[in-house]
Amino acid sequence: NQNETLVVGAHYDHVGLGDFGSRDIDGKGLIHNGADDNASGVALAITLIDLLYDSNKSYNYLFIAFDGEEMGLYGSSFFCKNPTIDLADVRFMLNFDMVGRLNDQKTLAINGIGTSTKWQELINDANTFDFQLKTTESGIGPSDHTSFYLQNIPSIHFFTGQHSDYHKPSDDVEKINFDGMFLIHEYVKKIIELSTKIEKFDFQET
């Protein structure tokens, strides 16, 4: 049992049959599988479980899949208000939401890097994968990292970008870039490894 915990999260809900949230005018009643949004994020989080358990025991790890994200971050908000651990012991939170469409330029958005003074150097030092990083500072955004930021926890969101299949039945598995997801997986592993060298991981308002 370690002193600090890392939270790894992703939302597992989507828009079902499109009764709410569908962006396809003909999509109501059709299954919206949400391969990118957000099966990709859940898959990435799950694959990290064995990897981190076997290779990096510097932290306690809490892997958590949230419901109600599409309706307004309900799951992550509830957890942060009714936590099963002491949130004061959480070093940072990593959120994977739509990480399945890495493009040929390897453009990877990381939102929330202003939530700690340590993020910028950490994500750059770990980037030995030629990602073209596109960053934003705010800890407030339309995904579950926001709930943790509001509890004064340094939190970032990994995102491979918006696309024309967003919230449509056409967001399906054949369009997922699995090689790209593997690169992000390796990148996150390196971020976590390098984070152990940071003595104090601070929080700051954005």
Side-chain angles (χ1 to χ4, degrees):
N1 194 38
Q2 303 299 325
N3 294 325
E4 295 180 305
T5 298
L6 297 194
V7 176
V8 178
H11 76 89
Y12 69 89
D13 63 303
H14 194 43
V15 298
L17 295 176
D19 292 329
F20 80 95
S22 178
R23 293 199 174 187
D24 187 337
I25 58 174
D26 299 316
K28 188 172 181 178
L30 299 177
I31 295 173
H32 292 57
N33 284 319
D36 186 31
D37 184 16
N38 185 35
S40 66
V42 173
L44 187 57
I46 288 172
T47 60
L48 284 167
I49 294 175
D50 284 343
L51 174 74
L52 294 176
Y53 181 82
D54 290 339
S55 66
N56 194 324
K57 295 184 173 64
S58 301
Y59 303 110
N60 302 315
Y61 296 100
L62 175 60
F63 293 87
I64 184 166
F66 303 107
D67 197 1
E69 190 270 355
E70 300 288 6
M71 299 180 73
L73 313 185
Y74 288 175
S76 57
S77 178
F78 182 86
F79 173 80
C80 286
K81 293 171 183 174
N82 303 271
T84 57
I85 61 172
D86 187 347
L87 295 184
D89 295 332
V90 177
R91 192 168 222 221
F92 55 77
M93 187 269 185
L94 302 176
N95 177 38
F96 305 121
D97 189 358
M98 297 179 65
V99 290
R101 295 284 193 101
L102 190 69
N103 61 23
D104 291 340
Q105 292 74 42
K106 295 184 181 179
T107 304
L108 178 63
I110 303 181
N111 301 311
I113 68 162
T115 61
S116 174
T117 61
K118 307 301 181 183
W119 282 128
Q120 186 70 68
E121 184 177 0
L122 182 55
I123 65 173
N124 286 339
D125 287 350
N127 186 19
T128 58
F129 305 93
D130 297 323
F131 287 115
Q132 302 301 308
L133 298 179
K134 181 179 179 182
T135 62
T136 63
E137 291 196 356
S138 178
I140 300 291
S143 194
D144 292 305
H145 60 293
T146 298
S147 300
F148 289 82
Y149 167 72
L150 293 174
Q151 298 295 323
N152 299 334
I153 295 170
S155 307
I156 56 174
H157 164 214
F158 294 82
F159 175 57
T160 53
Q162 192 62 269
H163 49 75
S164 61
D165 299 306
Y166 176 70
H167 281 203
K168 295 180 181 179
S170 52
D171 179 11
D172 226 332
V173 66
E174 66 271 8
K175 297 180 179 179
I176 295 296
N177 180 354
F178 290 100
D179 290 336
M181 285 181 62
F182 177 74
L183 283 181
I184 298 169
H185 173 276
E186 294 299 289
Y187 179 42
V188 172
K189 173 188 173 184
K190 193 161 187 180
I191 288 173
I192 293 172
E193 288 174 347
L194 292 178
S195 75
T196 64
K197 300 177 182 178
I198 297 174
E199 185 172 342
K200 179 175 172 51
F201 208 97
D202 64 313
F203 170 79
Q204 66 177 5
E205 299 273 357
T206 60

